[in-house]
Short mmCIF file of all heavy atoms in Angstrom, two decimals:
data_model
loop_
_atom_site.label_atom_id
_atom_site.label_comp_id
_atom_site.label_asym_id
_atom_site.label_seq_id
_atom_site.Cartn_x
_atom_site.Cartn_y
_atom_site.Cartn_z
N ASP A 6 74.58 -34.66 -149.31
CA ASP A 6 74.68 -35.57 -148.17
C ASP A 6 75.67 -35.07 -147.13
O ASP A 6 75.35 -34.99 -145.95
CB ASP A 6 75.08 -36.98 -148.62
CG ASP A 6 73.94 -37.72 -149.29
OD1 ASP A 6 72.78 -37.26 -149.18
OD2 ASP A 6 74.21 -38.76 -149.92
N HIS A 7 76.89 -34.77 -147.54
CA HIS A 7 77.89 -34.31 -146.57
C HIS A 7 77.50 -32.97 -145.95
O HIS A 7 77.54 -32.83 -144.72
CB HIS A 7 79.29 -34.26 -147.18
CG HIS A 7 80.28 -33.61 -146.28
ND1 HIS A 7 80.67 -34.18 -145.08
CD2 HIS A 7 80.95 -32.44 -146.39
CE1 HIS A 7 81.54 -33.36 -144.48
NE2 HIS A 7 81.71 -32.30 -145.27
N PRO A 8 77.13 -31.96 -146.74
CA PRO A 8 76.71 -30.71 -146.10
C PRO A 8 75.59 -30.92 -145.07
O PRO A 8 75.62 -30.34 -143.98
CB PRO A 8 76.23 -29.84 -147.27
CG PRO A 8 77.05 -30.33 -148.42
CD PRO A 8 77.16 -31.82 -148.20
N ARG A 9 74.63 -31.77 -145.39
CA ARG A 9 73.54 -32.04 -144.45
C ARG A 9 74.07 -32.69 -143.18
O ARG A 9 73.61 -32.40 -142.08
CB ARG A 9 72.49 -32.95 -145.11
CG ARG A 9 71.22 -33.08 -144.28
CD ARG A 9 70.14 -33.92 -144.97
NE ARG A 9 69.79 -33.39 -146.29
CZ ARG A 9 69.98 -34.05 -147.44
NH1 ARG A 9 70.48 -35.27 -147.45
NH2 ARG A 9 69.65 -33.50 -148.59
N SER A 10 75.08 -33.56 -143.32
CA SER A 10 75.63 -34.26 -142.14
C SER A 10 76.34 -33.30 -141.18
O SER A 10 76.52 -33.64 -140.01
CB SER A 10 76.60 -35.38 -142.58
OG SER A 10 77.85 -34.84 -142.98
N VAL A 11 76.73 -32.14 -141.66
CA VAL A 11 77.36 -31.15 -140.78
C VAL A 11 76.41 -29.98 -140.50
O VAL A 11 76.84 -28.93 -140.02
CB VAL A 11 78.72 -30.65 -141.35
CG1 VAL A 11 79.71 -31.78 -141.41
CG2 VAL A 11 78.56 -30.00 -142.71
N GLY A 12 75.15 -30.16 -140.81
CA GLY A 12 74.14 -29.16 -140.48
C GLY A 12 74.13 -27.94 -141.37
O GLY A 12 73.77 -26.85 -140.93
N GLU A 13 74.52 -28.11 -142.64
CA GLU A 13 74.57 -26.98 -143.55
C GLU A 13 73.87 -27.31 -144.86
O GLU A 13 73.76 -28.47 -145.24
CB GLU A 13 76.03 -26.62 -143.88
CG GLU A 13 76.84 -26.16 -142.70
CD GLU A 13 78.31 -25.99 -143.02
OE1 GLU A 13 78.81 -26.56 -144.01
OE2 GLU A 13 78.97 -25.28 -142.25
N SER A 14 73.43 -26.26 -145.54
CA SER A 14 72.94 -26.43 -146.90
C SER A 14 74.15 -26.51 -147.82
O SER A 14 75.28 -26.23 -147.40
CB SER A 14 72.06 -25.24 -147.30
OG SER A 14 72.87 -24.08 -147.44
N TYR A 15 73.93 -26.83 -149.07
CA TYR A 15 75.04 -26.86 -150.05
C TYR A 15 75.71 -25.49 -150.12
O TYR A 15 76.93 -25.38 -150.08
CB TYR A 15 74.52 -27.28 -151.43
CG TYR A 15 75.60 -27.22 -152.49
CD1 TYR A 15 76.48 -28.28 -152.65
CD2 TYR A 15 75.74 -26.10 -153.30
CE1 TYR A 15 77.50 -28.22 -153.61
CE2 TYR A 15 76.74 -26.03 -154.26
CZ TYR A 15 77.61 -27.10 -154.41
OH TYR A 15 78.61 -27.03 -155.36
N GLY A 16 74.92 -24.42 -150.20
CA GLY A 16 75.46 -23.08 -150.29
C GLY A 16 76.26 -22.68 -149.06
O GLY A 16 77.34 -22.10 -149.16
N GLU A 17 75.71 -22.99 -147.88
CA GLU A 17 76.43 -22.69 -146.64
C GLU A 17 77.75 -23.45 -146.58
O GLU A 17 78.78 -22.90 -146.17
CB GLU A 17 75.58 -23.05 -145.43
CG GLU A 17 74.37 -22.17 -145.23
CD GLU A 17 73.40 -22.71 -144.20
OE1 GLU A 17 73.29 -23.95 -144.03
OE2 GLU A 17 72.72 -21.88 -143.57
N HIS A 18 77.72 -24.69 -146.99
CA HIS A 18 78.93 -25.51 -146.97
C HIS A 18 79.95 -24.99 -147.97
O HIS A 18 81.16 -24.96 -147.68
CB HIS A 18 78.60 -26.98 -147.26
CG HIS A 18 79.74 -27.89 -147.00
ND1 HIS A 18 80.20 -28.16 -145.74
CD2 HIS A 18 80.55 -28.57 -147.85
CE1 HIS A 18 81.22 -28.98 -145.82
NE2 HIS A 18 81.46 -29.25 -147.09
#
Side-chain angles (χ1 to χ4, degrees):
D6 286 346
H7 172 66
R9 190 177 303 117
S10 76
V11 296
E13 297 173 339
S14 69
Y15 176 83
E17 291 168 330
H18 191 70

